[in-house]
Amino acid sequence: MARIAVIGAGMGAMATAARLAVAGHQVTVYERAATYGGAVGRYERDGFAFDTGPGLLHLPAVYRDLFVKTGKRPLETCVDMVQADPAVRHVLPRHDVDVTLPGASHGGVAAALDQAFGQGAGERWNAVLGRARDAWDATRRPLLEEPLRDGARQTLGGDPYPALRRSGLLRRRPPTLAEVADRELGGGLGELLTGLVGAYGIDPARAPGSAAVLPYMEQTFGSWYVRGGMRALATAVHERCRERKVEFVFGAEVREVLAPQGRAAGLLLADGTEVAADSVVCGIDPRLLPAASLPWPPEAVPARGEGLPSRLTLFLALRGARPAHAVHRTLVHSSGPVVTVLRPDDPTTRPDADHEAVTVSAVRGPGSSGPQEPEELLELAGKAVPGLRERLLWHEARTPADVEAATGAVGGAVPPPALAGAGGRLLYPANTTAVPGLYLAGGWAHPGGGLAHAGMTGALVAGLIVEGAEFRGSR
């Protein structure tokens, strides 16, 4: 039995801790904040409740697998998880289009797009997602399910998206996602594709065509909501850790990873306490630690959060019942980043049936146009919620600075999922480091950010610690 020290109590860190504890290790999690979950928090006021981080889960199989591998009770017995259907509504003011797409139905999506954009639009859309499926199949294991090894960065640097021949996209360089959207879809239909990718904080004009795997993933595996919000999922993972005898120490900021003999041997806490460990898992942005404490490949991610997207969020308390026809997730397309409007049909989010809680957010890259102030965000949200101004009781803004204060993420940065292509610049550092016994988990490590991807790091890091360097990923 080895002693494992985990830095941070975010979703990836807790997923790692639970798997390591099941393998028989003694695991202790050190978290600077007073609670678990990292970005997956909950804001409550006057009987209203809101998710402070992601509001939907894609690839739920990641957490189903976590619960199967760490205990007798499956995920569905620990949380009430439902698939959002309809999956998403798109409001495109520039094209005077308002279209709602069903969940888990390629035929239904095609029919809705034909009605909104004209005959043949659905066929073109499904053809693009079919090519995205080819990219998914080609990269799924090395990008998501296997440790990032020597040479993998170069292999994954090539764009696996098979652009159409005679589309004008077969050039000396692979096409960007924006070019794929323009040439293979065009107009408002192309804007749907770029908007879905842009909602992850990825710039379609700089992203490779392989970014189309994100809409493919959503349409294929669905979007899932947990009753009580995503905080309920974080609570379930935390409780599973406690069941597996993982110890949590809150209010414990880590100042340094100790490696006196060139191997990770413990932690130095902010209060001067030294903690001994046989291995250390860093589940936070490792750039928050001294450079000498944790080698960081500078080419992997911009330093100290620069160049990464951040999120501006509004919590809206509305008078009046949520309409029965309201769609859970609406994307309002604008000249800048799309605005996401979440209207969950969940009694735990509101004081009574005569009120509604709505979350509005925009993930913005550095220097991007679009909503910069809460008032601009509120104006765009009105395109998704009729009579919003008249129904508004109050609204609360959560800025990138608030995110930084709550989670420690520099600049309130929101790490997007890793992508193949772009010469490997959209990949993250490997889960192993140059210091033996020191591992990286969570959204700042391979395979990147988002609830599902962060959860995947738990399987990768636990496998590397339990099985050693020969671990090749889950089968």
Side-chain angles (χ1 to χ4, degrees), residues 415-427:
L419 292 173
R425 67 176 174 82
L426 299 180
L427 301 176

Side-chain angles (χ1 to χ4, degrees), residues 236-255:
V237 176
H238 175 252
E239 290 177 349
R240 177 55 54 90
C241 286
R242 295 301 304 271
E243 291 170 5
R244 301 277 71 84
K245 309 303 181 185
V246 174
E247 182 181 352
F248 286 81
V249 182
F250 295 107
E253 182 178 356
V254 175
R255 287 285 175 85

